[in-house]
Amino acid sequence: MKNARQKAIVEIINSYEVDTQTRLAQLLKQRGFDATQATVSRDIKEMALLKVATQNGTYKYALPSGNRAAHGAHKLYSGMRDG
């Protein structure tokens, strides 16, 4: 179930500019997943999703670029923000 949900998350964030965990949970529910905000939060952390700027100045979730430097920088930023 988690793998299918996370696959759906990838499809959703590649199709929509999702800016909040609540919105992501809503879109997952539309696809038949019973996902709470806490579940979505854990998935975001496990998948190392990033928040990136859009062209209109807002932010959206995105997949990491695939290189370890970007992933490491994201982890550092998250630690600083959460701490």
Side-chain angles (χ1 to χ4, degrees):
M1 181 64 119
K2 179 169 78 169
N3 288 339
R5 185 180 61 246
Q6 290 184 353
K7 181 179 177 188
I9 289 172
V10 171
E11 293 169 359
I12 289 168
I13 66 172
N14 284 332
S15 300
Y16 303 98
E17 290 189 355
V18 181
D19 61 342
T20 66
Q21 294 177 8
T22 301
R23 180 65 179 141
L24 185 52
Q26 291 170 343
L27 292 168
L28 284 167
K29 285 180 183 180
Q30 289 177 3
R31 291 178 176 228
F33 294 95
D34 187 25
T36 65
Q37 183 272 330
T39 301
V40 169
S41 180
R42 282 189 297 274
D43 285 338
I44 288 169
K45 189 171 187 172
E46 283 182 23
M47 297 169 72
L49 297 183
L50 306 169
K51 272 217 167 169
V52 298
T54 65
Q55 290 182 342
N56 63 5
T58 61
Y59 289 88
K60 68 175 186 170
Y61 285 107
L63 293 169
S65 64
N67 71 45
R68 291 203 171 269
H71 179 69
H74 170 67
K75 289 185 77 149
L76 175 63
Y77 173 76
S78 294
M80 291 170 53
R81 184 186 69 228
D82 295 339

